[in-house]
Amino acid sequence: MTWLQRLGDGMRRHGRLIRTVQWLVVLVYAVLLVLPALLPLPGSQARLVNNLTLLAQFIFWGLWWPFVLLSMVLFGRLWCGVLCPEGSLSEWASQHGRGLGIPRWVRWGGWPTLGFCLTTLYGQLISVYDYAQAALLILGGSTLAAMVVGLLFVRGKRVWCRYLCPVSGVFALLARLAPVHFAVDEQRWKANTAPRLPLPNCAPLLDIRRLQGASECHACGRCSGQRGAVQLIARSCNTEILQAPRQPGSEWDARLLLFGVIGLAMGAFQWTVSPWFIALKQTLATWLVSHDWLWPLQDTAPWWLLTHYPQLNDSFSWLDGLCIVLYLCGSALLFGGGCWLLLRLAAWVAGDRALFRPLALTLTPLGGAGLFLGLSATTVKLLRYEGLGLGWVQSARAVLLVGAVGWCLWLGWRQLRGVGGVLRGGAWFFVVLSNGLVGVGWWLQFWGWG
Ligand code: SF4
């Protein structure tokens, strides 16, 4: 038995300890989310070390988000199964809920994509990274929704996490790259030999016997060792992406990756530094003034609709809000749509339209690196306010970006392994172009517009 198998079995044996840790995380989460929203806004002299609001902001957006995403790539969805406060609360609520069946509309495969896009957009409109009230509204609202879903559907499960959580789609994409996962030997499962352990409660409602890969599994360890068929094992980071042509899957993951994780998210990270955004706003403002329409230039919206903190000189006008929506949607169309078109062309050149989704998934490392770069820009910004120079950051960004592009190109080449000779090269050319398009987007943000 390897140390990984022992670790997986240990997670099952020490389920109680994991549950205790989950409640501690819930407690810390609640304190960091609720308390800062009740405190006055931090003054200009406030620092991380002496202001709870700034500290919570740094923990949520500077540490928690970027490193939860990184953990998906390193350990699979361990965060979901072991630490996520929202999942814990949803499962706890469902133990005391009505236990209804899951309606068809809840099972619709587009919720994680829609949820991710809408929360990203809304988060920018109310400046979720900067204000505690906004964070409470978005994160607290999501937690409340998770508990309500738990109270309604299927006792003791995590229906929210499986079908509705706005980040579950992103986590499922990134977990495909994890070098460890709970592997199931279906033959041994059917043989049902000893040890005969009690049936585990798989909270995200997975069919454990047919489990393939780390994408859906929350890595909670509850089924480790079941029927001697489930084991935590190491694998190549490329396995699950390269298996995509032989596995059934929905096109929603490709749509989420191209239009959401790559296109829309890039717009969300970029608009504050983009000269295109300023040009768009100036053009629309000039047009509005020339037509004597002045109300869109006023900042009269409440804080829960558009950022509104006049005491800090930080308020969005209706025009700002419109420009943010237009910029993010434009970015989704330009970068997501561009990649979509190029990868369709690649599949067409390869002579197999079904290759589109597997080729799209080869962009997962770049999508993940982009999210990490964008979110960690907040980490860097907050640390620089504290006086840290971080002169090495630009080089680290370049290394991460170049490494991710190289990884994607290699995956794309391998994904085309069944395509012969010149056609393989031709199809790969379009894969290279799609990577280049995303790379240019990030180059503009960190170097071109710097
Ligand atoms: S299959 Fe289910 S029970 Fe097993 S580790 Fe994954 S989430 Fe947990």
Side-chain angles (χ1 to χ4, degrees), residues 284-342:
L284 288 178
T286 309
W287 188 87
L288 286 169
V289 170
S290 68
H291 288 76
D292 222 11
W293 277 13
L294 299 183
W295 68 261
L297 304 176
Q298 290 168 2
D299 56 353
T300 49
W303 68 269
W304 46 265
L305 199 56
L306 292 174
T307 302
H308 189 79
Y309 302 90
Q311 62 276 46
L312 297 179
N313 277 332
D314 188 12
S315 294
F316 290 174
S317 66
W318 296 96
L319 177 64
D320 287 321
L322 175 69
C323 289
I324 291 170
V325 174
L326 289 177
Y327 191 88
L328 265 63
C329 293
S331 175
L333 283 179
L334 177 65
F335 293 102
C339 288
W340 182 87
L341 198 65
L342 290 164

Side-chain angles (χ1 to χ4, degrees), residues 197-245:
L197 299 168
L199 204 64
N201 172 25
C202 178
L205 301 120
L206 302 177
D207 179 356
I208 301 172
R209 182 181 120 188
R210 295 191 178 83
L211 187 72
Q212 292 180 358
S215 175
E216 302 295 332
C217 171
H218 286 196
C220 67
R222 296 180 198 179
C223 65
S224 186
Q226 191 71 22
R227 301 187 179 204
V230 188
Q231 292 173 339
L232 184 62
I233 60 161
R235 64 173 187 174
S236 156
C237 300
N238 306 312
T239 308
E240 205 164 333
I241 302 274
L242 294 178
Q243 275 172 353

Side-chain angles (χ1 to χ4, degrees), residues 334-371:
L334 177 65
F335 293 102
C339 288
W340 182 87
L341 198 65
L342 290 164
L343 295 169
R344 285 270 175 216
L345 280 170
W348 179 72
V349 171
D352 182 1
R353 284 179 181 201
L355 268 177
F356 166 73
R357 179 177 168 272
L359 282 176
L361 292 179
T362 64
L363 261 65
T364 306
L366 192 49
L371 285 183

